[in-house]
C-alpha cells in the first residue's frame, strides 16, 4: 500500500488527517526500520507492507469504536500496534502502552520522544500483573495479535471502567469463541460485536471483536497466569 492508497483507505474510514500526522507516520516507519535491525521488533519491514499490515490495519479499529477524548490501554502493544498509530491520528486520546518485553518498551520510549507524542505512558509489565493493581481505570482496552481471546478477557477486563469497551484485533476468531459465554458471565460482559473484512490489496481476513463491561470485576480476577492457561475461568 503506497501513501496515496493509504490516504484513500483512511478517508473511507472517515479519519481526519493532517500533513503533520502523515509526516509522523513516515518518521515512525523510518525509526522502526532502523531499530528493527537491532531489536527484531517485527517480521514485516517493507514500507508498503508496514503501511498496510501495521499502520492501516491498526486504524481499522475505528470501524467499531469512537476514540475521541477517551483513555485507552493497548495490551501487548509490541512495536506500538495499534496504540502508537491511534495516538498519531487521535492526539486527544490518553494512551497507555503495555508490554512485557523490555526491548519493545525501549523502542516505544524512543518513538514517543522522536514523534513528540504527549500523554502516552509506557508500562513494562505483564498484563495479568498490571491489571491486579490498576482496576476500572480505562475507557477502552485494545489488544492485537497477543493471546487467545479467553486469556485476553481475563487479564484485560479488570482494567476497564464499568461501561468500558474491550477490543481485540485478530485474523480469525471462530475457534476462540468456544465456551466464551462462561467468561461473559463471570466478567460481566455484554453486547458482543464481531466485524469481519478483508484488508485492501491483499484480501487477507481480519476480525475486529468488541465486548462491553456492565459491572465491576470481582477481585479474584485475573487468576495467576499458570491457572489462566490451565483451566477455564471459574
Ligand atoms: N500488538 C502488536 C502487533 O500487533 O504487532 C504486537 C503483537 S506481538 C505478536 C505480541 C506482544 O504481546 C509481544 O510484544 C509480547 O511481549 C506481548 N505480550 C504477550 N503476552 C503478554 C502479557 N501477558 N502481558 C504483556 N504483554 C504481553
Amino acid at each position: 500500500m503506497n501513501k496515496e492508497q493509504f490516504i484513500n483507505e483512511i478517508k473511507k474510514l472517515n479519519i481526519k488527517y493532517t500533513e503533520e500526522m502523515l509526516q509522523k507516520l513516515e518518521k515512525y516507519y523510518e525509526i522502526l526500520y532502523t531499530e528493527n535491525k537491532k531489536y527484531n521488533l517485527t517480521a514485516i519491514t517493507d514500507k508498503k507492507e508496514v503501511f498496510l499490515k501495521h499502520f492501516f490495519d491498526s486504524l481499522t479499529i475505528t470501524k467499531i469504536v469512537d476514540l475521541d477524548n477517551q483513555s485507552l490501554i493497548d495490551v501487548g502493544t509490541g512495536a506500538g500496534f495499534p496504540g502508537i498509530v491511534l495516538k498519531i491520528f487521535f492526539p486527544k486520546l490518553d494512551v497507555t502502552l503495555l508490554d512485557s518485553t523490555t526491548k519493545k518498551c525501549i523502542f516505544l520510549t524512543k518513538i514517543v520522544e522522536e514523534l513528540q507524542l504527549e500523554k502516552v505512558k509506557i508500562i513494562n509489565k505483564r498484563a495479568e500483573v498490571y491489571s491486579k493493581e490498576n482496576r476500572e481505570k480505562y475507557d477502552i482496552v485494545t489488544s492485537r495479535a497477543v493471546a487467545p481471546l479467553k486469556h485476553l478477557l481475563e487479564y484485560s477486563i479488570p482494567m476497564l471502567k464499568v461501561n468500558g469497551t474491550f477490543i481485540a484485533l485478530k485474523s480469525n476468531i471462530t475457534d476462540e469463541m468456544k465456551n466464551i459465554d462462561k467468561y461473559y458471565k463471570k466478567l460481566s460482559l455484554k453486547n458482543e460485536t464481531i466485524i469481519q473484512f478483508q484488508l485492501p490489496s491483499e484480501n487477507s481476513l481480519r476480525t475486529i471483536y468488541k465486548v462491553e463491561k456492565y459491572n465491576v470485576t470481582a477481585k479474584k480476577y485475573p487468576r495467576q497466569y499458570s491457572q489462566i492457561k490451565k483451566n477455564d475461568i471459574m
Side-chain angles (χ1 to χ4, degrees):
M1 169 179 266
N2 61 28
K3 191 175 167 186
E4 202 185 336
Q5 289 165 328
F6 177 81
I7 291 172
N8 280 338
E9 291 298 333
I10 66 166
K11 276 184 186 162
K12 288 185 202 163
L13 294 174
N14 285 321
I15 294 174
K16 308 267 178 301
Y17 66 92
T18 62
E19 204 43 52
E20 191 192 346
M21 290 171 185
L22 298 176
Q23 278 165 10
K24 284 192 175 176
L25 210 56
E26 286 280 338
K27 196 164 174 184
Y28 185 10
Y29 172 74
E30 299 297 335
I31 302 169
L32 178 67
Y33 185 80
T34 312
E35 297 295 304
N36 201 46
K37 290 176 190 153
K38 275 192 262 173
Y39 292 136
N40 199 15
L41 302 158
T42 169
I44 303 170
T45 53
D46 173 73
K47 190 169 180 179
K48 287 182 179 165
E49 296 239 318
V50 170
F51 268 71
L52 175 66
K53 293 184 183 167
H54 284 325
F55 295 167
F56 175 73
D57 191 43
S58 293
L59 290 167
T60 59
I61 203 169
T62 58
K63 286 175 185 279
I64 214 164
V65 71
D66 179 9
L67 294 170
D68 282 330
N69 294 309
Q70 304 269 41
S71 58
L72 177 150
I73 181 163
D74 188 20
V75 171
T77 189
F81 309 121
I84 292 274
V85 186
L86 296 176
K87 179 66 193 176
I88 292 172
F89 284 87
F90 297 87
K92 287 188 192 153
L93 201 59
D94 185 341
V95 173
T96 301
L97 305 168
L98 177 70
D99 204 285
S100 54
T101 308
T102 303
K103 65 177 184 176
K104 300 207 170 152
C105 292
I106 294 171
F107 168 77
L108 293 167
T109 305
K110 187 176 177 68
I111 289 290
V112 167
E113 277 170 19
E114 300 258 339
L115 302 190
Q116 298 181 329
L117 300 174
E118 286 166 5
K119 286 219 287 194
V120 180
K121 286 196 197 79
I122 298 162
I123 314 277
N124 185 192
K125 280 195 179 169
R126 288 197 63 87
E128 56 277 19
V129 174
Y130 185 72
S131 72
K132 275 271 174 221
E133 308 139 12
N134 292 274
R135 309 185 72 86
E136 274 77 38
K137 195 167 172 178
Y138 301 95
D139 298 312
I140 302 170
V141 180
T142 56
S143 194
R144 177 186 185 251
V146 173
L149 185 61
K150 288 175 179 176
H151 299 186
L152 290 177
L153 290 177
E154 185 160 348
Y155 52 64
S156 299
I157 297 304
M159 297 185 242
L160 260 190
K161 289 180 189 170
V162 174
N163 296 324
T165 305
F166 170 82
I167 298 169
L169 300 176
K170 287 176 165 280
S171 47
N172 199 347
I173 206 167
T174 320
D175 290 348
E176 300 184 24
M177 298 301 290
K178 282 180 205 142
N179 300 325
I180 205 76
D181 285 352
K182 203 168 167 189
Y183 283 74
Y184 290 2
K185 206 164 160 217
K186 296 284 181 192
L187 299 169
S188 305
L189 301 174
K190 62 172 185 179
N191 292 344
E192 167 202 293
T193 311
I194 294 172
I195 298 182
Q196 292 200 307
F197 63 98
Q198 290 177 325
L199 266 192
S201 318
E202 54 122 58
N203 299 335
S204 56
L205 179 72
R206 289 290 184 277
T207 303
I208 308 178
Y209 163 94
K210 175 174 110 169
V211 77
E212 289 163 13
K213 165 165 161 176
Y214 63 82
N215 208 349
V216 174
T217 311
K219 286 273 190 299
K220 61 179 172 180
Y221 304 125
R223 294 166 296 160
Q224 299 265 340
Y225 187 60
S226 54
Q227 284 303 310
I228 293 178
K229 262 199 331 194
K230 207 160 126 201
N231 300 314
D232 271 4
I233 203 162
M234 289 178 257

